[in-house]
Amino acid sequence: GEFTLALELPEGTPLSRTDRTVRDIETELADVEGIVLLAADVGVSRDGGTTAQRRKENRAELHVKLQYADKEHEELVLESIRRVLADHPDVGMKIRRQSLFSFNAPVEVDVYGYNLEDLQAAADAVGAGLEQVDGLRDVRLSMVPGSPEVRVSFDRDKLNHWGLSLAQVSEVVRGKVRGTVASRIRDRERHIDIRVMNLDEQRSTLQAIRELIVSEREGVPIPLSAVATMSISRGPSEIHRLGRRRVAVVTANLAGRDLGSVTPDIEAQLRGLTLPSNTTWELGGQNEEMATSYRSLQLAILLAIFLVYLVMAAQFESFLYPFIIMFTVPLALVGVVFGLGATGTPISVIAVIGAIMLAGIVVNNGIVLVDRINQLRRNEKDLFAAVRLAGAERLRPIVMTTTTTVLGLLPMALGLGEGAELRTPLAVTVISGLILSTLLTLVVVPVVYTLITPGGVRAGEGS
């Protein structure tokens, strides 16, 4: 029910204009149904989703709190916000949500290259490609044109003609434009620089820069225009590097689709692009984090199953009976798939953590059943008679333990209270897997026990 709009105006926009524009946007958004609170920070930027602030006169952040904290309501409000910002074409927008375990944008494409012009062209092509993918909105490039600047190109032949050096003239121009520290004022613990520089009207226009006097020969002043040419251009506002390579990051938000389903469409769209030479792209952001998390969790699941098997093998003093009980684990995973599908809960890191917990929970019923069968067989009961009697005797304890676990997790599965989106997938995973595995344990475990236990075939033939 909360998110932040990172707003960006063109580079070089003064803070006063940024403030006026954000005030106008706030006024218009106040009339949007569903928004209960707006708070703006003007002149700051938190790139990358971290808490570190940077002063940027052309940027602002607008914090939005909604009346209802459900996904459908949020999408409707975002569409209204996009319509409002469409009336401000010079304002770029990036949506930042409170993403669990993540500081990156939902969709992030890292474009690598060294030449800045080629990198800009490649990033523009990738951004245009992402706009064609269904389910992506608010496509934004990290590589944007910088502030207007005056570029001075010195003519070395003319410098030699006047007997000047490049370092000497550069230092004079720098001092007249930026000023030189002539002295300092000390106010207790503060030291304030006293800068000597030209007046504003002598350095605020291109013509004033051309007329700057850089030296004097035989009483004749030498202006900067006599030894250099000047032009107004735009340099890059920022140069980002990732892994010691220059990178332009293209980000986008999801609308109506989840990250897992939109990723193949993004890859297919980007493979069809023709990019400048020596530029490449890679998928990053939450997609990269998701892939890394799932690889780690797959190892955790296998390790959990292996450790459970080892513990049971030590307790039963056999490798056969734990193998029989482990048949309940894939049955539980089948129940997980049905449970998540029936409730519309997407597979997430939290759901996989629930599956890891499930690997240790579902074997309990099998342990109770197999242990009782073994006790009856030690009392010289026939295999099939022992299986039938153990199933009847252990039905009630198995149903009791399953019911108590399910009822204990039910409030969590219903999604009650703050932070329910964190707990619900875990509870749904455990409940659905435990219910189905319990029902099938009473059938599958006895059948597998009779099939692979020595003497089972002979007893079956005699029945």
Side-chain angles (χ1 to χ4, degrees):
E2 297 182 19
F3 54 85
T4 300
L5 303 177
L7 305 178
E8 181 178 1
L9 278 73
E11 287 288 338
T13 302
L15 185 62
S16 57
R17 183 186 167 195
T18 303
D19 184 48
R20 288 195 304 270
T21 303
V22 173
R23 285 178 183 272
D24 294 341
I25 293 174
E26 276 189 287
T27 303
E28 297 178 42
L29 291 183
D31 298 330
V32 174
E33 185 178 357
I35 296 179
V36 295
L37 181 64
L38 288 170
D41 289 337
V42 181
V44 298
S45 173
R46 291 183 183 88
D47 287 337
T50 64
T51 58
Q53 284 192 8
R54 293 190 304 161
R55 294 184 179 182
K56 298 283 289 186
E57 293 190 353
N58 65 313
R59 296 190 184 184
E61 292 184 345
L62 194 58
H63 309 283
V64 183
K65 185 175 181 179
L66 305 181
Q67 184 176 4
Y68 304 107
D70 61 88
K71 200 167 186 178
E72 292 76 12
H73 176 68
E74 182 177 298
E75 289 298 330
L76 292 175
V77 173
L78 282 175
E79 287 300 322
S80 300
I81 291 174
R82 292 185 180 106
R83 286 195 292 269
V84 169
L85 289 176
D87 298 331
H88 303 271
D90 58 336
V91 179
M93 179 186 70
K94 180 180 179 182
I95 301 172
R96 284 207 302 267
R97 293 181 175 88
Q98 301 281 349
S99 298
L100 189 64
F101 304 144
S102 176
F103 294 104
N104 290 329
V107 176
E108 187 175 292
V109 181
D110 301 326
V111 184
Y112 295 95
Y114 183 77
N115 184 277
L116 292 178
E117 294 182 359
D118 291 343
L119 187 60
Q120 181 72 60
D124 292 339
V126 170
L130 292 184
E131 290 178 348
Q132 304 300 318
V133 178
D134 183 36
L136 296 185
R137 303 294 298 271
D138 311 319
V139 178
R140 184 168 178 255
L141 278 66
S142 66
M143 192 173 182
V144 295
S147 301
E149 60 186 20
V150 176
R151 182 166 297 178
V152 180
S153 301
F154 289 98
D155 188 325
R156 295 182 180 272
D157 293 334
K158 292 181 179 179
L159 288 173
N160 292 332
H161 173 74
W162 293 105
L164 301 174
S165 66
L166 182 60
Q168 174 188 355
V169 177
S170 300
E171 188 65 27
V172 171
V173 173
R174 181 175 179 272
K176 291 189 174 185
V177 174
R178 291 194 57 191
T180 56
V181 179
S183 182
R184 286 184 176 180
I185 298 176
R186 180 174 179 178
D187 181 14
R188 296 181 183 179
E189 300 300 323
R190 296 178 60 199
H191 293 269
I192 304 173
D193 292 340
I194 300 176
R195 288 187 173 270
V196 179
M197 65 180 71
N198 283 19
L199 298 175
D200 286 344
E201 58 269 19
Q202 295 176 327
R203 55 187 177 89
S204 58
T205 63
L206 183 60
Q207 183 59 33
I209 297 297
R210 288 194 179 101
E211 295 175 355
L212 287 177
I213 305 302
V214 296
S215 184
E216 184 177 329
R217 288 293 181 271
E218 299 178 357
V220 178
I222 302 174
L224 180 60
S225 58
V227 294
T229 58
M230 279 138 285
S231 60
I232 296 179
S233 62
R234 286 179 178 265
S237 59
E238 298 172 337
I239 297 178
H240 297 269
R241 283 183 172 82
L242 190 61
R244 296 182 295 180
R245 293 187 294 170
R246 287 182 177 178
V247 63
V249 182
V250 185
T251 59
N253 293 312
L254 298 174
R257 298 183 66 182
D258 60 88
L259 184 60
S261 64
V262 81
T263 298
D265 294 346
I266 294 174
E267 293 177 339
Q269 180 71 29
L270 296 183
R271 288 195 190 101
L273 296 178
T274 302
L275 302 180
S277 59
N278 301 322
T279 59
T280 58
W281 61 268
E282 294 178 6
L283 278 179
Q286 292 183 15
N287 181 75
E288 183 181 10
E289 294 176 352
M290 181 177 67
T292 303
S293 300
Y294 282 156
R295 285 195 297 267
S296 301
L297 291 172
Q298 287 170 4
L299 177 61
I301 290 177
L302 296 177
L303 185 60
I305 295 174
F306 178 68
L307 292 177
V308 169
Y309 180 83
L310 286 184
V311 171
M312 290 191 297
Q315 293 296 315
F316 281 104
E317 297 181 353
S318 168
F319 290 105
L320 178 62
Y321 298 127
F323 179 74
I324 296 172
I325 297 172
M326 294 305 292
F327 270 91
T328 59
V329 175
L331 301 180
L333 296 180
V334 173
V336 169
V337 173
F338 278 107
L340 295 178
T343 59
T345 305
I347 297 176
S348 62
V349 171
I350 304 299
V352 178
I353 292 175
I356 296 174
M357 295 173 53
L358 201 59
I361 296 175
V362 297
V363 298
N364 294 337
N365 295 334
I367 291 173
V368 170
L369 185 59
V370 171
D371 186 57
R372 183 54 181 164
I373 296 174
N374 290 341
Q375 290 179 7
L376 294 174
R377 292 195 68 199
R378 283 195 294 270
N379 294 331
E380 298 183 354
K381 282 280 187 181
D382 177 70
L383 174 62
F384 281 85
V387 168
R388 293 191 188 98
L389 184 57
E393 291 181 353
R394 290 294 178 258
L395 174 62
R396 186 177 178 183
I398 289 175
V399 173
M400 288 173 61
T401 56
T402 300
T403 304
T404 54
T405 304
V406 170
L407 292 179
L409 291 173
L410 190 59
M412 188 185 299
L414 293 176
L416 304 177
E418 296 291 337
E421 63 275 6
L422 170 63
R423 303 186 297 266
T424 300
L426 186 146
V428 170
T429 299
V430 176
I431 289 175
S432 57
L434 189 57
I435 290 176
L436 185 61
S437 68
T438 299
L439 296 176
L440 295 181
T441 293
L442 298 171
V443 178
V444 175
V445 171
V447 170
V448 176
Y449 189 100
T450 58
L451 289 176
I452 67 177
T453 300
V457 176
R458 179 183 57 79
E461 290 173 348
S463 59

